[in-house]
Amino acid sequence: MNVNAELKGEQLVLTIDISAKAQKRAKPSSTGKTKLLATTSGFINCGDVRVSLNAIIPLK
């Protein structure tokens, strides 16, 4: 969801859309305290590295 992982040589580049439109589409977390902007939904393999990511927006 909204995460693109790309290997560029020896660099792992993670791209997340943080635009206002993407923030509006973000879903509430299970606790309701934050909105989930991007997630890998667990670990993903990127070459020899495993990555897990959650990007959140705090609710005010």
Side-chain angles (χ1 to χ4, degrees):
M1 166 200 256
N2 194 20
V3 178
N4 183 33
E6 182 180 2
L7 285 173
K8 290 186 176 182
E10 294 186 357
Q11 301 284 318
L12 172 61
V13 179
L14 300 173
T15 305
I16 301 169
D17 180 3
I18 61 169
S19 67
K21 187 176 179 180
Q23 291 185 36
K24 190 176 252 188
R25 288 191 315 254
K27 300 191 185 302
S29 67
S30 60
T31 63
K33 295 179 183 177
T34 61
K35 287 174 68 176
L36 187 60
L37 181 62
T39 183
T40 57
S41 299
F43 284 91
I44 60 171
N45 294 322
C46 300
D48 293 336
V49 176
R50 295 193 62 189
V51 176
S52 178
L53 174 97
N54 289 321
I56 61 166
I57 304 166
L59 295 177
K60 297 174 184 169

